[in-house]
Amino acid sequence: MDVAARAGVSKSTVSLVLQGSKQVRAETRTAVEKAMAEIGYVYNRAAANLRSSSVGLVGLVINDLRNPFFTEFATSLQMAIAAEGYATVIANSDEDPELQAKLVGSMIEHGVSAMVISPAYGAASDTFDQLARRGLPTLQVLRQGDERTDLFPFASFDYATGSAKATRHLLQQGARNVAFVGGLPGRAITRERKSGWRDVLKKDGLEEVALHGKSSRAFGMEMAATLIADHPEIDAAVCFNDLVALGLMAGFARAGRPVGTGFRVVGFDDIEEAAQSWPQLSSVSCDIAQFAQDTAARLLGWMVEGERPEPELRMPVRLVTRASSTGETT
Amino acid sequence: MDVAARAGVSKSTVSLVLQGSKQVRAETRTAVEKAMAEIGYVYNRAAANLRSSSVGLVGLVINDLRNPFFTEFATSLQMAIAAEGYATVIANSDEDPELQAKLVGSMIEHGVSAMVISPAYGAASDTFDQLARRGLPTLQVLRQGDERTDLFPFASFDYATGSAKATRHLLQQGARNVAFVGGLPGRAITRERKSGWRDVLKKDGLEEVALHGKSSRAFGMEMAATLIADHPEIDAAVCFNDLVALGLMAGFARAGRPVGTGFRVVGFDDIEEAAQSWPQLSSVSCDIAQFAQDTAARLLGWMVEGERPEPELRMPVRLVTRASSTGETT
DNA sequence: GGCTGGATTTGGAACGATCCAATATCTATG
DNA sequence: CATAGATATTGGATCGTTCCAAATCCAGCC
């Protein structure tokens, strides 16, 4: 700490300057700052943390960072949090519960003061137990894990209403048989996204065809072939997410049956690409940027003010209709 | 540090156990581990760093994390680095040099022991100077910044050869006039990706039409309209990246002129989606996962062994031909 | 000039690990 | 059984901040 010597003050004073305390005289502050600049001083956070234990770090663990929906969430959250002076550590668990537990452990060691997690499926008790033990403010977002989900507040979108809207819309457009495509069976989120669709079909006494599987573009493409071959009566689909929907559309295009009027599709998430595909993809829009901001606010409220958020929150969603379901060319 | 007391040893011994030293007796180690488990002890990295100054943290700053190409790189790099026991802090500079400098500063404070950066365009001296001052091993990847680019080793792909291959391929397929679409003018990476295209056209004495702009799907879509209206003679395009190419294809599809034989397209990066679009997109494939692994290896070599990598490295690229340029339906 | 009270500044303990030299404990060997 | 040499363990200093109580400064006032 030559800074102190160089500026002719004590290290305590330097510390005060560092913390931006207004109780140091302006001249003193200037002198210290000058000394710091001259010396090329860099603040050592490790030391500061050691003493004050608060690192200004927030951990974010995402199950699939390659999925644009999550990427968008991660980047938006990071920016919202950065605006409050916190840094974010982003990590990708790649849907692997063990890796997830390790990542969370590493983040705890690094002294994160809060966690946001979109959990991987599978055994998650390791992950959540260590967070609970440390008493870290932790938010589950976008999907609920398979275990210990009750330990921490959860926030997501009102998917059930969304898929109901989508299904009704497809029927109104003239579809007769609406399938559900994508989503791993047994997952809470699949149940939710399916439930609205099922409710509507039940009410109208229609047959339910659901094709479950990985929520990827590739799976959607595959299912296009399956639908054409095995379910010719199906003339519309609500997809688990936009990736599946885009894959499905590509599959139909490849088979020479472009989507729009003959076959109608609605996706989920309204990722950026939905508005730029051909045909443009109708989708249940989840305002993920807004959601990220809310999440940041709730998290900071918990971290700073100690206000634990309500245990469950559902953001409303909005159906955006485009050519893939209306057939209208814009 | 009740662990020491509880296990009946000194704190030094506990420290040795923590570091996995093999010079503690097996029984002692077990005793200590038992004590740690009972007490629910968590390692405090801040304290360790303070003394030993090496955090096991690598910083990664990306100019556009929403771009799937970069997302893929970030996640692959993170995993490669995690395999060596380092944690990665990922941040998105969102193409903003000031934010970038702030992020880098924050990472330095957090004690990262190395940086990987795909720089935002614009004034980058703040960013690089602070890294140089600290003497942090830093790798520039995928694109070169506008300033101080000489300070640190740079690694990327051999784009020039890639675009030459793409252009020759299009001409062989029967195209007569090949445009270049996308890429901000004046950027090093645009120059590179363009140069191969230009060289081939020059050799054949063909006219050069280049449409520059943001490298997004939306821009590609826009340019489809422009090409159709203003450059009817153009019958093929090499695109700056896959996003532009996908947008271009969507734009042509919207105009009722699906891409394949009438108009041929090759993209750049070969992102996952390229193989799943309709028509499937030909692309200059950059093996980004491999690149990420190499980057991790070079970085660790520098961090651990002190071997500074060669100042410039170009990974070879490969042209993957698909329906968007051959017209063949698979 | 002495006093008062607010504004500044300061010394030194603390944070929880690592590191190093020194000490204690084993093990094999003559 | 003594002892060298290897193997295990330990005490205490140390890293660079923050925190707190105490000390110092200074202007204004009687």
Side-chain angles (χ1 to χ4, degrees):
Chain A
M1 203 140 193
D2 324 291
V3 173
R6 187 165 188 116
V9 298
S10 77
K11 65 190 163 58
S12 305
T13 305
V14 174
S15 175
L16 287 176
V17 171
L18 248 22
Q19 292 167 79
S21 159
K22 64 295 206 98
Q23 74 169 332
V24 292
R25 231 177 350 144
E27 313 155 40
T28 313
R29 155 172 290 112
T30 323
V32 171
E33 280 165 353
K34 180 154 161 288
M36 294 200 296
E38 285 171 1
I39 267 176
Y41 164 84
V42 267
Y43 185 66
N44 180 335
R45 227 171 247 271
N49 299 339
L50 179 54
R51 178 65 210 196
S52 66
S53 57
S54 153
V55 202
L57 248 195
V58 172
L60 173 60
V61 177
I62 294 286
N63 55 292
D64 179 11
L65 204 49
R66 291 181 172 95
N67 181 326
F69 184 64
F70 291 112
T71 310
E72 181 68 31
F73 172 70
T75 51
S76 299
L77 184 72
Q78 176 178 46
M79 295 198 183
I81 284 179
E84 299 297 322
Y86 289 86
T88 309
V89 193
I90 303 177
N92 182 26
S93 69
D94 205 32
E95 218 65 271
D96 173 352
E98 271 181 54
L99 178 57
Q100 172 179 279
K102 243 188 263 171
L103 289 170
V104 168
S106 153
M107 286 183 177
I108 292 177
E109 285 183 3
H110 280 291
V112 296
S113 18
M115 278 297 293
V116 175
I117 180 165
S118 170
Y121 292 129
S125 52
D126 285 0
T127 298
F128 286 117
D129 284 351
Q130 55 184 331
L131 288 165
R133 200 160 45 228
R134 294 242 76 190
L136 278 185
T138 298
L139 253 36
Q140 286 181 90
V141 292
L142 300 176
R143 43 147 93 172
Q144 232 156 343
D146 290 339
E147 292 178 356
R148 306 284 169 148
T149 75
D150 51 321
L151 285 176
F152 299 104
F154 170 70
S156 184
F157 290 96
D158 184 3
Y159 294 130
T161 304
S163 74
K165 276 189 197 169
T167 311
R168 270 198 298 271
H169 162 70
L170 286 169
L171 292 173
Q172 274 168 11
Q173 291 292 319
R176 310 293 319 149
N177 298 288
V178 182
F180 186 91
V181 180
L184 289 173
R187 305 299 183 197
I189 188 168
T190 304
R191 264 198 304 282
E192 280 182 55
R193 291 194 172 185
K194 225 171 107 175
S195 71
W197 163 81
R198 160 174 292 163
D199 290 350
V200 172
L201 293 195
K202 271 242 176 68
K203 220 190 216 159
D204 289 14
L206 298 172
E207 197 199 355
E208 298 173 13
V209 175
L211 304 173
H212 291 295
K214 262 195 80 189
S215 304
S216 65
R217 225 180 269 268
F219 177 74
M221 208 142 167
E222 209 180 298
M223 287 307 104
T226 305
L227 279 176
I228 291 171
D230 303 349
H231 299 278
E233 80 283 6
I234 298 291
D235 57 1
V238 173
C239 294
F240 177 81
N241 67 11
D242 285 346
L243 293 181
V244 172
L246 290 165
L248 195 66
M249 292 206 300
F252 268 89
R254 161 185 251 169
R257 297 186 39 191
V259 160
T261 50
F263 193 94
R264 297 166 199 275
V265 175
V266 176
F268 238 102
D269 295 345
D270 195 26
I271 61 178
E272 207 189 0
E273 196 185 332
Q276 291 159 358
S277 62
W278 184 255
Q280 296 191 341
L281 176 63
S282 299
S283 188
V284 176
S285 166
C286 308
D287 188 342
I288 190 69
Q290 183 61 49
F291 180 81
Q293 290 208 343
D294 288 5
T295 302
R298 284 153 32 96
L299 188 67
L300 289 166
W302 192 357
M303 281 166 64
V304 180
E305 325 282 348
E307 295 165 5
R308 190 186 170 104
E310 65 277 45
E312 188 164 337
L313 176 76
R314 298 271 162 190
M315 285 266 287
V317 298
R318 199 165 47 87
L319 176 66
V320 179
T321 60
R322 299 201 183 89
S324 76
S325 64
T326 63
E328 289 161 15
T329 314
T330 346
Chain B
M1 203 140 191
D2 325 291
V3 173
R6 186 163 187 118
V9 298
S10 76
K11 64 189 165 57
S12 304
T13 304
V14 174
S15 175
L16 287 176
V17 171
L18 249 22
Q19 293 166 79
S21 160
K22 66 293 210 100
Q23 75 168 333
V24 294
R25 230 179 352 146
E27 314 156 39
T28 315
R29 155 172 290 112
T30 322
V32 172
E33 280 165 354
K34 179 155 162 286
M36 295 200 296
E38 284 171 2
I39 267 175
Y41 164 85
V42 268
Y43 185 65
N44 180 332
R45 232 170 244 273
N49 300 339
L50 179 54
R51 179 64 209 197
S52 66
S53 58
S54 152
V55 201
L57 246 196
V58 172
L60 173 60
V61 177
I62 295 286
N63 55 291
D64 179 11
L65 204 48
R66 289 180 172 96
N67 181 326
F69 184 64
F70 290 112
T71 309
E72 182 68 31
F73 173 71
T75 51
S76 299
L77 184 72
Q78 175 178 46
M79 295 200 183
I81 285 180
E84 300 296 323
Y86 290 86
T88 309
V89 195
I90 303 177
N92 182 26
S93 69
D94 206 33
E95 219 62 271
D96 173 352
E98 272 181 53
L99 178 57
Q100 171 180 280
K102 244 188 261 172
L103 290 170
V104 168
S106 154
M107 286 182 177
I108 292 177
E109 285 183 2
H110 280 291
V112 297
S113 19
M115 279 295 294
V116 175
I117 180 165
S118 170
Y121 292 129
S125 52
D126 285 1
T127 298
F128 287 117
D129 284 352
Q130 56 185 329
L131 287 165
R133 199 160 46 229
R134 292 242 77 190
L136 279 184
T138 298
L139 254 34
Q140 287 180 90
V141 292
L142 301 177
R143 42 147 95 170
Q144 231 155 345
D146 290 338
E147 291 179 356
R148 306 280 170 154
T149 76
D150 52 319
L151 285 176
F152 299 105
F154 170 70
S156 183
F157 290 95
D158 184 3
Y159 294 130
T161 303
S163 75
K165 278 189 196 170
T167 311
R168 269 198 298 270
H169 163 69
L170 286 169
L171 293 173
Q172 273 168 9
Q173 291 293 317
R176 310 293 320 150
N177 298 287
V178 182
F180 187 91
V181 181
L184 289 171
R187 306 299 183 196
I189 188 168
T190 304
R191 262 198 306 281
E192 279 183 54
R193 291 193 172 186
K194 226 171 107 177
S195 70
W197 164 80
R198 160 173 291 164
D199 290 349
V200 172
L201 294 195
K202 273 240 174 72
K203 219 191 219 159
D204 289 15
L206 299 171
E207 196 199 355
E208 299 173 13
V209 174
L211 303 172
H212 291 295
K214 262 194 80 189
S215 304
S216 64
R217 225 180 271 268
F219 178 75
M221 209 141 165
E222 211 180 294
M223 286 307 104
T226 306
L227 279 176
I228 291 171
D230 303 349
H231 299 278
E233 81 284 6
I234 297 291
D235 57 2
V238 172
C239 294
F240 177 80
N241 67 10
D242 284 346
L243 292 181
V244 172
L246 290 165
L248 194 67
M249 291 206 300
F252 268 88
R254 161 184 251 168
R257 297 186 39 191
V259 160
T261 50
F263 193 93
R264 298 167 198 274
V265 175
V266 176
F268 238 102
D269 296 344
D270 194 28
I271 60 178
E272 207 189 359
E273 197 186 333
Q276 291 159 357
S277 62
W278 184 255
Q280 295 191 342
L281 176 62
S282 299
S283 188
V284 177
S285 166
C286 308
D287 188 342
I288 190 69
Q290 184 60 51
F291 181 80
Q293 290 207 343
D294 288 4
T295 301
R298 283 151 35 94
L299 189 68
L300 289 166
W302 192 357
M303 280 168 65
V304 180
E305 326 281 348
E307 294 166 6
R308 189 184 170 109
E310 65 276 46
E312 188 163 338
L313 177 74
R314 298 270 163 191
M315 286 265 288
V317 297
R318 198 164 49 86
L319 176 65
V320 179
T321 59
R322 300 198 184 92
S324 76
S325 63
T326 64
E328 289 162 15
T329 313
T330 346

